[in-house]
Amino acid sequence: MKEIEQQAGLSGDLARSRLAAEGFNELPSSRRTSLLALVSDVVREPMFLLLLACGTIYLLLGDVQEALILLGFVLLVTGITLYQERKTENALAALRDLTSPRALVIREGQQQRIPGRDVVRGDLLLLAEGDRVAADGALVGCSNLFADESLLTGESVPVRKSEWSGDSRIGTPGGDGQPFVFAGSLITRGRGVALVQRTGVHSEIGTIGKALQTVAPERSALQRETAWLVSRVAAIGVALCLLVVVAYGLLRGDWLHGFLAGLTLAMAIMPNEFPAVLTVFLALGAWRMSQQRVLTRRVPALETLGAATVLCVDKTGTLTLNQMSVHKLYAGGSDYEVGNDPTRDLPEEVHALVEFGILASQRDPFDPMEKAFHALGGRRLAGTEHLHPNWMLVRQYPLSEQLLALSHVWRSPEGDDYVIAAKGAPEAIADLCHLSAEVNAAVQAQVEAMAAAGLRVLGVARANFRPGSLPQEQHDFEFELVGLVGLADPVREQVPAAIRECYAAGVRVAMITGDHPNTAQSVARQIGLRNPERVLTGTDLAQLSDSDLGAHLSTTNIFARVAPEQKLRLVQALHANGEVVAMTGDGVNDAPALKAADIGIAMGERGTDVAREAAALVALDDDFSSIVQAIRSGRRIFENLKNAMAYILAIHLPIAGMSLVPVLLRLPLVLLPVHIAFLHLIIEPACSVVFEAEPEARDIMQRPPRHPRAALFGMRLVGLSLLQGASVLLIVLAVFLISLYRGQAEDDARALTFTTLIVANLALILSNRSWERTVLETLRAPNRALWWVIGSSLGLLAAVLYVPAVCRLFRMQQQHPVDMLIALIAGLSTIACFEMIKILTRRNASAT
């Protein structure tokens, strides 16, 4: 195995040429939506069809100019929609690439972790427990390798694998002893190196048609709520449109223009922005989070992030750097501080301890503790007889749930006896050595002292065995204790500040670790975890009833010596207490807990593929602070989405009202289809670009988590949105009626009213950027998209009012400066009520 892992593998140039010739290692279902498919979706949109219908009616009426301008708007609206759809598609495609299963391959003599889709024929694929196999291949090397092929065969029992002799062709999955692995199967035990022979549609999973289809989009609570609102508003819109057609036809005797007025109202009231905005926000929100090194595998999880009340995290690698170094050695009844000086010699008393610690580790370790053993031996024992690069590993006894220790059996070229080295939890090593009560008490006292100093403590033991049949169990060897090793894993520098941020945001942090309770408490004190004196161990959990555990959870934040399967029980107990749980995990056994948590977060660097598949989020750098940033981003996404929805609801009311009221009062029409299309040129980018780009409020992490069942369209949002919309409608309608009363011409009154509506629309955008801060306060927050929308809107309005040809198309007259001032004051006054509510609410909050 070692020699195989040191092979060169493919060159980068050859891998790229094969990728170009044979295609990506993916199945057709994972391809991106084509531009033609996006266009097809757009032309079926209600707004597109309504504009097309209005343009056709104008052609029938003989108004070619009006028809052409509407058709021009059709192209413009289509272009904007396609841009937004493509932007969303690009974001989702990038996320699919990032979150696709990763594969560890050897190329140009180096181990590289690449997207599974980039694996090509001829790659050397490194496999370990918990990995999802990326492609079909032959095992050129393996050690105790078992694979779960149930996805392909339906058989749930993992099958044993053997090494490939090189003379057999790749067969079909199923059965023990096969030298082949298949894409989609799961490595459940051992290690292996596979020579990739088939990829993509040529793999077994592609051939038999059991492709890993793209998961159908989940209908989240927000999506269901939005769909409900759209259906209700659409039903009301249809009824009002029929009313307008009938009223116009009966009151004015012109049914064709009545039908046109009905279509105009349909354009005004149709809530097509709601589902589009929801999709854009969640997709772009997921993409923004990926820039913070957190990937979103299940987009609906974004709406839950802001509601998290408990964050359960592993200690090693998340709160700490996972860069272990040997800090203290204990042997022969005395301890020794290692220090960082590589020139300092180790005393002879601890040489054997380091020697057997290395022998109980892998030759080329991945585990950080084993790396620490090798690093210490390489620095301090180089050139001594205590390092054995020429010894042969005869057998490994793996760590198990029953015995938290492992053993390696070695044989030297010169000696006849087997030498056995064991390491593991001090309790397990003490059990293997059958220590007397007196010695065991002394060892335990030393363990407690080292753990209290924040050290991870391992025991090391040795044994000899005459050649012959090796026993089946580690307990059958006559072990003697060599000593204890204390390893330090420093806390990440940014973790204490992130913990404080969580507490300020009303989010509890619970540490779940397999370490000794004293080690966990030491780290807890360093990072500022609350109640560090209270600890529950895995043994305690096993003895507590569900009700007793629930009672302990309100005051306990440290869970030590916890087995991975006990995480699931903790999640269930927290749920029973009404908490919204975010949970981190990395191993195969963590998958049930990650799936059961409201927000499962897999570790990207050390996590297995199984953990990633079960999780909703993947923290690429395993850093706790990035998880806290994800909570911040989740709150920002929900807050901005709420503001965008409030704006959409508010602006549709005056547009619909100004399309309906003139018909019922037998007044000249204010809004024609061309005006509605113009307004949508502002509404579309405002709701899906401006609000999405809005930075979070400064105090967003000083607020308590929102209730997980709190509706987006709650009574407060709907009520304030309708209040905003009604105030705009009343003022715009008043401007229109006063202008008619003063004897202004129809086109002149329309121009003044339309300008007021545009100004009010922009004012609504400014006001809804925040429901706590006033407009003047939000203007200091950067948002480039806002100024692009406002600038382009005012530029287009100027063209409509002062370019004669465009002015005629919009059936308006040029406005005098006094009229513009009236429109400006009237439009801005529409948000005065909402701004006053903000100020009064803030005063009441500060008073209490």
Side-chain angles (χ1 to χ4, degrees):
M1 277 284 292
K2 178 64 177 174
E3 291 74 16
I4 295 172
E5 291 179 8
Q6 290 178 342
Q7 291 184 12
L10 295 179
S11 67
D13 291 339
L14 180 56
R16 283 188 290 271
S17 65
R18 284 192 179 173
L19 193 63
E22 301 176 6
F24 288 108
N25 180 35
E26 61 185 2
L27 299 158
S29 60
S30 61
R31 289 176 183 165
R32 295 178 57 181
T33 307
S34 66
L35 181 62
L36 185 62
L38 287 177
V39 172
S40 175
D41 289 339
V42 170
V43 298
R44 292 199 299 266
E45 285 290 325
M47 186 57 63
F48 181 93
L49 297 175
L50 289 170
L51 282 170
L52 203 59
C54 292
T56 303
I57 292 176
Y58 275 116
L59 281 177
L60 294 175
L61 293 172
D63 194 336
V64 179
Q65 279 190 337
E66 191 79 24
L68 290 177
I69 194 69
L70 280 180
L71 293 177
F73 272 119
V74 166
L75 296 176
L76 195 55
V77 170
T78 301
I80 291 175
T81 306
L82 280 177
Y83 169 76
Q84 292 175 348
E85 291 286 346
R86 178 55 71 182
K87 189 176 181 182
T88 301
E89 181 70 18
N90 287 340
L92 290 174
L95 285 171
R96 281 196 294 269
D97 291 344
L98 287 169
T99 58
S100 67
R102 317 298 279 179
L104 186 62
V105 299
I106 301 174
R107 287 186 182 172
E108 298 182 337
Q110 299 292 323
Q111 295 186 13
Q112 302 178 23
R113 192 166 290 279
I114 63 174
R117 68 195 299 264
D118 290 344
V119 172
V120 299
R121 183 173 51 83
D123 263 327
L124 285 175
L125 191 63
L126 300 182
L127 302 171
E129 180 180 333
D131 287 347
R132 184 73 68 179
V133 180
D136 293 0
L139 286 164
V140 294
C142 67
S143 173
N144 195 31
L145 189 70
F146 284 75
D148 177 359
E149 297 178 347
S150 58
L151 180 68
L152 303 168
T153 65
E155 297 294 331
S156 59
V157 179
V159 293
R160 177 178 51 81
K161 296 295 180 180
S162 62
E163 287 193 12
W164 184 50
S165 62
D167 56 359
S168 58
R169 298 181 60 185
I170 191 165
T172 57
D176 281 327
Q178 277 212 55
F180 306 107
V181 290
F182 301 91
S185 58
L186 173 69
I187 304 302
T188 59
R189 191 191 309 172
R191 297 190 305 146
V193 181
L195 177 65
V196 175
Q197 297 184 341
R198 300 188 306 203
T199 62
V201 293
H202 305 294
S203 66
E204 183 70 18
I205 198 170
T207 303
I208 66 178
K210 292 183 177 179
L212 297 174
Q213 300 290 337
T214 302
V215 178
E218 301 177 47
R219 284 177 62 84
S220 65
L222 275 182
Q223 289 169 324
R224 292 193 297 270
E225 191 180 349
T226 302
W228 179 88
L229 181 68
V230 168
S231 63
R232 297 303 185 275
V233 174
I236 295 171
V238 169
L240 291 177
C241 291
L242 292 175
L243 174 63
V244 166
V245 172
V246 173
Y248 199 104
L250 293 176
L251 295 174
R252 309 190 188 194
D254 189 343
W255 290 94
L256 189 57
H257 276 92
F259 189 63
L260 186 62
L263 290 178
T264 303
L265 179 59
M267 291 171 60
I269 204 170
M270 187 63 65
N272 58 298
E273 296 92 355
F274 285 131
V277 166
L278 183 60
T279 302
V280 169
F281 264 67
L282 294 181
L284 293 183
W287 173 247
R288 288 184 191 277
M289 284 180 57
S290 73
Q291 306 306 295
Q292 300 170 359
R293 307 284 294 163
V294 177
L295 301 184
T296 308
R297 296 194 71 256
R298 293 178 178 84
V299 172
L302 295 180
E303 66 185 73
T304 314
L305 270 172
T309 60
V310 177
L311 181 52
C312 299
V313 294
D314 187 19
K315 177 185 73 67
T316 305
T318 306
L319 300 174
T320 63
L321 289 171
N322 198 22
Q323 295 175 359
M324 295 294 240
S325 61
V326 176
H327 184 72
K328 181 176 283 191
L329 299 170
Y330 172 82
S334 60
D335 55 24
Y336 174 77
E337 294 280 349
V338 174
N340 297 320
D341 185 359
T343 63
R344 225 174 122 201
D345 291 333
L346 292 174
E348 185 65 35
E349 293 80 10
V350 297
H351 283 190
L353 178 55
V354 178
E355 174 187 5
F356 280 87
I358 295 172
L359 288 173
S361 305
Q362 297 292 334
R363 283 196 185 274
D364 185 15
F366 178 76
D367 182 83
M369 290 183 290
E370 295 187 347
K371 284 183 177 180
F373 278 115
H374 278 270
L376 179 62
R379 290 196 312 266
R380 306 290 184 92
L381 296 182
T384 70
E385 73 278 7
H386 296 286
L387 300 181
H388 310 287
N390 60 340
W391 282 22
M392 182 179 68
L393 181 64
V394 177
R395 181 168 176 179
Q396 301 181 58
Y397 291 87
L399 178 146
S400 67
E401 293 182 13
Q402 292 74 32
L403 183 66
L404 297 176
L406 58 86
S407 299
H408 288 176
V409 180
W410 298 90
R411 188 168 191 175
S412 72
E414 300 83 16
D416 293 328
D417 289 355
Y418 292 127
V419 176
I420 301 96
K423 67 176 173 65
E427 307 95 297
I429 295 297
D431 184 26
L432 284 177
C433 296
H434 305 291
L435 299 178
S436 66
E438 182 181 351
V439 174
N440 189 52
V443 169
Q444 289 302 316
Q446 184 64 31
V447 170
E448 296 287 340
M450 294 169 75
L455 301 180
R456 174 75 179 269
V457 186
L458 291 179
V460 176
R462 65 182 174 188
N464 292 294
F465 192 80
R466 299 293 298 174
S469 178
L470 288 168
Q472 295 299 313
E473 302 290 340
Q474 299 179 71
H475 268 294
D476 294 332
F477 293 112
E478 294 293 331
F479 280 107
E480 63 172 310
L481 179 68
V482 181
L484 302 174
V485 181
L487 299 106
D489 182 11
V491 169
R492 290 179 183 266
E493 185 179 350
Q494 59 272 40
V495 166
I499 293 286
R500 290 194 296 271
E501 190 172 14
C502 281
Y503 287 144
V507 180
R508 269 182 60 204
V509 181
M511 179 201 303
I512 302 176
T513 179
D515 274 348
H516 192 279
N518 288 348
T519 305
Q521 285 179 301
S522 174
V523 172
R525 292 188 180 97
Q526 292 178 59
I527 64 177
L529 208 64
R530 290 176 179 169
N531 300 331
E533 69 283 352
R534 298 185 62 87
V535 183
L536 281 179
T537 66
T539 304
D540 298 330
L541 290 176
Q543 295 173 350
L544 288 173
S545 66
D546 289 344
S547 59
D548 290 339
L549 176 58
H552 279 83
L553 287 178
S554 59
T555 56
T556 305
N557 297 319
I558 303 174
F559 303 89
R561 284 284 192 256
V562 173
E565 55 270 20
Q566 289 179 313
K567 286 186 177 182
L568 176 59
R569 189 181 177 208
L570 285 173
V571 171
Q572 293 169 337
L574 288 166
H575 278 161
N577 280 3
E579 305 283 6
V580 179
V581 184
M583 165 75 74
T584 68
D586 54 18
V588 175
N589 291 334
D590 291 334
L594 291 174
K595 208 169 188 66
D598 299 282
I599 310 137
I601 306 168
M603 298 295 100
E605 289 185 351
R606 69 182 191 274
T608 61
D609 284 343
V610 176
R612 294 189 193 100
E613 289 177 12
L617 303 176
V618 179
L620 289 180
D621 52 10
D622 296 6
D623 187 354
F624 176 77
S625 62
S626 65
I627 299 171
V628 178
Q629 285 301 314
I631 294 176
R632 173 188 290 270
S633 295
R635 291 189 174 192
R636 171 190 162 275
I637 290 168
F638 191 87
E639 189 74 12
N640 289 349
L641 183 60
K642 181 191 73 174
N643 295 342
M645 295 297 193
Y647 160 72
I648 296 170
L649 202 58
I651 193 57
H652 272 280
L653 185 59
I655 296 174
M658 293 307 296
S659 301
L660 176 63
V661 172
V663 173
L664 299 179
L665 298 181
R666 301 185 67 178
L667 298 172
L669 296 182
V670 178
L671 299 178
L672 304 175
V674 67
H675 303 125
I676 304 294
F678 182 95
L679 285 164
H680 274 278
L681 292 181
I682 302 174
I683 296 171
E684 291 279 355
C687 60
S688 60
V689 177
V690 172
F691 286 102
E692 194 283 327
E694 188 68 20
E696 73 268 10
R698 292 180 182 177
D699 65 341
I700 199 165
M701 291 297 280
Q702 276 79 52
R703 307 173 188 173
R706 66 176 178 85
H707 195 282
R709 289 185 292 276
L712 176 64
F713 299 99
M715 292 301 296
R716 182 170 182 264
L717 182 143
V718 173
L720 288 177
S721 297
L722 293 178
L723 178 62
Q724 291 181 79
S727 64
V728 173
L729 174 59
L730 290 175
I731 290 176
V732 172
L733 183 60
V735 168
F736 179 57
L737 294 175
I738 292 171
S739 61
L740 291 179
Y741 179 78
R742 290 172 51 202
Q744 289 179 264
E746 178 182 328
D747 289 355
D748 196 15
R750 179 180 293 115
L752 180 60
T753 306
F754 185 71
T755 302
T756 305
L757 183 56
I758 294 296
V759 174
N761 188 0
L762 298 177
L764 279 176
I765 296 172
L766 292 171
S767 185
N768 279 282
R769 289 178 67 193
S770 171
W771 279 30
E772 288 81 26
R773 295 169 293 159
T774 64
V775 168
L776 294 178
E777 290 170 331
T778 58
L779 287 176
R780 292 193 288 269
N783 189 330
R784 292 180 60 187
L786 169 72
W787 299 112
W788 276 105
V789 168
I790 290 178
S792 58
S793 300
L794 295 178
L796 289 172
L797 179 61
V800 168
L801 294 176
Y802 296 108
V803 176
V806 182
C807 198
R808 287 193 297 273
L809 286 174
F810 277 76
R811 299 187 183 181
M812 294 183 182
Q813 288 185 7
Q814 294 185 6
Q815 294 294 288
H816 299 291
V818 174
D819 293 325
M820 294 300 296
L821 183 61
I822 292 172
L824 180 63
I825 294 172
L828 292 177
S829 68
T830 57
I831 61 169
C833 180
F834 188 46
E835 292 299 295
M836 189 60 66
I837 290 174
K838 292 181 187 179
I839 295 171
L840 292 176
T841 302
R842 192 158 57 187
R843 284 181 180 174
N844 290 336
S846 61
T848 55

